[in-house]
Amino acid sequence: MPVQITIIGLGQVGASIGLALAAHKDTVLCVGHDKDFSIERAALQKGAVGKAEHNLPTAVRDARLVLLALPVHQVRETLEFIAPDLMKGTVVVDTSPLKSEVANWAKDILPQGCYYVGLVPTIAAEFLQESGTGLDSAKAGLFKDSIFLVDAPAGTPGNALESVTNLVKLIGANIMIADIVESDGLMTSAYLLPQLVSA
């Protein structure tokens, strides 16, 4: 029976991950949720998810892994909303660039027996010059052969970390295990500092 992965947020990142996972329908059931119902329908038609579920508690109820492909300002509220409906052992992953604050939220909000692992995706080199965003710019190969930083807080069980590394492998990306502080430092220098300098 396929393992359910629920993707919350079906923009460029979430839908691209869903499109990459579509090649593994025999082992993964990809359920998608977006606050915009029309984006859910479009993602389903595009093949980015195998099933769309607009009711968020229902979307996460049977998931072994929940991927939050959301702006960081939406993560805390989403964690609070889904926490009561997560089954024991579920791993929650987010793709926002900075992890320390999100890890603190997850520690405070997630029920005992559920785990948080941070994921920082990078786009494949061939797509770096493209400027599109949203579902229309999603591609199955957006992350192929790129590097994903995987940040597991201290005390995360090995099987929770393994679930996330297996996800990254299915997407076709390479894994770099990083400490959350190290990851935030890398992202600050590579992503946020250039934005600050340009401003």
Side-chain angles (χ1 to χ4, degrees):
M1 183 174 178
V3 173
Q4 181 177 321
I5 296 175
T6 296
I7 301 174
I8 301 174
L10 297 171
Q12 182 185 39
V13 172
S16 292
I17 290 172
L19 287 167
L21 293 175
H24 307 282
K25 289 181 183 173
D26 53 333
T27 57
V28 174
L29 168 62
C30 207
V31 174
H33 169 86
D34 196 279
K35 62 183 179 180
D36 186 330
F37 183 68
S38 65
I39 291 176
E40 285 178 353
R41 285 184 302 173
L44 186 59
Q45 290 172 348
K46 189 170 183 166
V49 293
K51 178 183 177 185
E53 179 54 68
H54 197 66
N55 182 284
L56 192 48
T58 303
V60 301
R61 193 165 287 134
D62 296 321
R64 299 305 307 166
L65 193 146
V66 175
L67 180 88
L68 306 179
L70 301 168
V72 71
H73 69 272
Q74 294 177 13
V75 170
R76 182 184 179 98
E77 180 182 17
T78 304
L79 286 172
E80 289 172 341
F81 197 81
I82 66 173
D85 297 290
L86 298 174
M87 67 176 156
K88 190 171 183 178
T90 298
V91 181
V92 178
V93 179
D94 86 302
T95 60
S96 60
L98 297 177
K99 300 299 177 195
S100 296
E101 194 65 22
V102 177
N104 288 334
W105 296 337
K107 182 179 177 184
D108 292 341
I109 296 167
L110 292 182
Q112 188 172 3
C114 293
Y115 307 101
Y116 165 77
V117 177
L119 197 62
V120 182
T122 57
I123 294 174
E126 65 188 281
F127 299 113
L128 287 175
Q129 299 304 317
E130 296 188 15
S131 59
T133 60
L135 177 61
D136 291 338
S137 62
K139 297 172 181 60
L142 189 70
F143 303 114
K144 185 163 176 50
D145 298 324
S146 68
I147 296 173
F148 275 43
L149 294 179
V150 177
D151 312 315
T156 303
N159 60 340
L161 183 58
E162 184 180 12
S163 294
V164 178
T165 58
N166 287 340
L167 170 69
V168 174
K169 289 175 187 175
L170 289 177
I171 293 167
N174 300 301
I175 298 158
M176 180 176 160
I177 304 291
D179 175 271
I180 287 176
V181 174
E182 176 187 21
S183 172
D184 282 357
L186 287 170
M187 290 309 296
T188 299
S189 60
Y191 177 70
L192 299 177
L193 187 57
Q195 288 183 345
L196 182 61
V197 170
S198 69

